[in-house]
Amino acid sequence: MRILVIHGPNLNMLGSRDTDVYGKFTLDEINSKLLAIAAISKATLSILQSNHEGILIDFIQENSSKADGILINPGAYTHYGYALADALHDTR
């Protein structure tokens, strides 16, 4: 099983950015935990974080046909990432 893991803008600042709101785990720590869980399930993760919506869209378009699923935290794009939402919709 291959899963795309996508982290949106500013998530690279986890662990140091407003820890009362976002917590103390860094993105590397979160990715390490995801990789450990994937290893137990014999899944392969392709992980990407970007602050640029176009890079996230390119990653989805280039890799979704070879993936069994997508795990995404779009960050701020949750509120206004229409192009990102379209790219995800097209993977169905």
Side-chain angles (χ1 to χ4, degrees):
M1 178 181 299
R2 181 170 179 231
I3 300 170
L4 306 181
V5 178
I6 303 169
H7 303 290
N10 299 314
L11 296 178
N12 57 309
M13 300 303 294
L14 289 174
S16 62
R17 174 184 177 219
D18 201 356
T19 57
D20 289 338
V21 174
Y22 299 106
K24 295 183 180 185
F25 285 109
T26 67
L27 187 58
D28 286 341
E29 291 171 325
I30 291 168
N31 287 336
S32 292
K33 290 180 183 292
L34 290 172
L35 288 165
I37 292 167
I40 292 168
S41 303
K42 298 191 180 359
T44 302
L45 304 183
S46 296
I47 301 173
L48 174 74
Q49 185 281 324
S50 181
N51 294 320
H52 305 281
E53 189 174 21
I55 291 173
L56 300 175
I57 291 167
D58 288 344
F59 182 74
I60 291 166
Q61 291 176 348
E62 292 167 6
N63 295 285
S64 64
S65 66
K66 300 172 275 190
D68 299 298
I70 299 173
L71 173 64
I72 183 170
N73 179 349
Y77 293 133
T78 300
H79 308 290
Y80 59 86
Y82 299 111
L84 183 59
D86 284 347
L88 290 167
H89 184 266
D90 290 342
T91 64
R92 292 184 198 179

